[in-house]
Amino acid sequence: MAQKIIGMLGGMSWKSSAEYYRLVNEGVRDRLGGLHSARCLMWSFDFDDIAVLQREDRWDEAADLMVEAAPRLERGGADFLIICTNTMHKAYDRMRAAVDLPLLHIADPTAARIKAAGHQRVGLLGTAFTMEQDFYKGRLADLHGLDVIVPDAADRATVHRIIYDELVQGKVDAASRDAYRAVIGRLVAAGAEAIILGCTEIMLLVGPEDSPVPLYDTTGLHAAAAVELALG
C-alpha cells in the first residue's frame, strides 16, 4: 500500500511530539502488519522560543515561526500536515494560507469521536490559552455543535502551571495528578459528560482511571486520524 507522507510540526513540547511519533508508527504497524512503519517528516521547534512568545502575548510572531516551518515540510515531500500541539492551532488559519497541503486540525477528530459517543456538554483542559481563548473552543462549538465548559480561574491556573512547570519537562507528580482529578471532578459536577485532554502532554499525567466520565486524549485521536489519512 502506498502511504502518504505525514508532515509533523513538533517540538511543542518534544515530550508530546515523541508520543506522536510513537503513535503514528504503531498505528501504521497495526494496520499494515510486519515491519511497516509511518512515512513521516518532523520539523521540531526549540519550544523555549515558542513559549516566550506565548507568555508575552506575541502570537503573531509565534505564528510567523509556524508559517516559516510549514513550507519546509512541503518541500520535503509531505502530503499533508499536522500541528503536534493544541495551543499552536491558534496559527491554523495562517498556516492553511501558507501551504497548498491539507492541514488536519486536532479538534476535528476529537469532536467526531465525542459526538459519535453521544456526548454534548464537554469539559476542556489545556493551557490557559486553549481554555480561555476562542480559537479552539470556538471551533468545537461553531463547527461541531459541542457545549464546551472550562474550569474556573483558579483551576485554570493550576492546570496551566502543571503543564508548563512539569509535564513539558517530563515531570509526572502524584500530587499534580490528584489536582487534575479534583479539577475533573468539578467539571463533572458542572455537567460535563466527557473531558477533552486539550493539551498534548496531559495524557502523560492522567488516564481513564482518573475520571468518572470518558476522557478524550487529543494526542491519540489526532495521531490516529493522521494514520487514517496517510493510509487512505
Side-chain angles (χ1 to χ4, degrees):
M1 173 183 288
Q3 291 187 49
K4 294 187 175 85
I5 299 174
I6 307 170
M8 307 167 74
L9 284 129
M12 302 171 286
S13 66
W14 71 263
K15 293 293 293 184
S16 62
S17 298
E19 289 299 308
Y20 266 94
Y21 185 76
R22 178 181 66 81
L23 288 166
V24 297
N25 280 286
E26 288 180 349
V28 170
R29 178 205 62 197
D30 292 346
R31 285 279 298 275
L32 300 184
L35 299 179
H36 285 287
S37 56
R39 299 178 70 205
C40 59
L41 302 168
M42 182 179 288
W43 173 266
S44 188
F45 288 95
D46 178 352
F47 186 46
D48 188 71
D49 295 338
I50 300 286
V52 168
L53 297 175
Q54 291 175 341
R55 190 166 58 245
E56 296 179 356
D57 202 28
R58 294 157 60 189
W59 290 101
D60 286 343
E61 293 173 65
D64 287 343
L65 295 178
M66 304 286 287
V67 168
E68 289 168 6
R72 298 173 186 264
L73 292 171
E74 185 174 29
R75 291 193 299 270
D79 293 302
F80 67 94
L81 303 179
I82 60 173
I83 304 169
C84 300
T85 169
N86 286 271
T87 299
M88 285 313 299
H89 275 74
K90 189 174 173 70
Y92 176 82
D93 289 337
R94 282 194 54 194
M95 282 186 57
R96 281 192 64 194
V99 293
D100 294 325
L101 302 178
L103 180 59
L104 181 60
H105 198 294
I106 195 170
D108 295 344
T110 301
R113 186 67 65 87
I114 289 169
K115 291 165 68 176
H119 304 306
Q120 174 65 32
R121 187 170 173 84
V122 295
L124 174 63
L125 301 180
T127 66
F129 317 115
T130 298
M131 292 186 289
E132 295 171 3
Q133 298 180 27
D134 198 50
F135 68 91
Y136 195 89
K137 291 185 298 182
R139 190 176 184 92
L140 292 170
D142 299 338
L143 186 62
H144 298 288
L146 295 176
D147 179 12
V148 183
I149 60 174
V150 298
D152 64 21
D155 281 350
R156 292 197 304 271
T158 296
V159 170
H160 181 89
R161 176 188 58 77
I162 290 169
I163 290 169
Y164 279 86
D165 291 354
E166 298 177 19
L167 298 181
V168 300
Q169 299 178 46
K171 301 174 183 175
V172 177
D173 183 81
S176 296
R177 181 176 291 112
D178 289 342
Y180 267 57
R181 286 172 174 163
V183 173
I184 289 169
R186 286 188 280 275
L187 286 172
V188 173
E193 302 162 4
I195 303 294
I196 297 173
L197 304 184
C199 175
T200 48
E201 286 83 16
I202 294 178
M203 53 77 177
L204 301 172
L205 182 65
V206 296
E209 66 279 5
D210 298 304
S211 174
V213 298
L215 299 179
Y216 289 87
D217 167 28
T218 55
T219 305
L221 292 168
H222 200 202
V227 169
E228 184 65 30
L229 185 55
L231 299 182

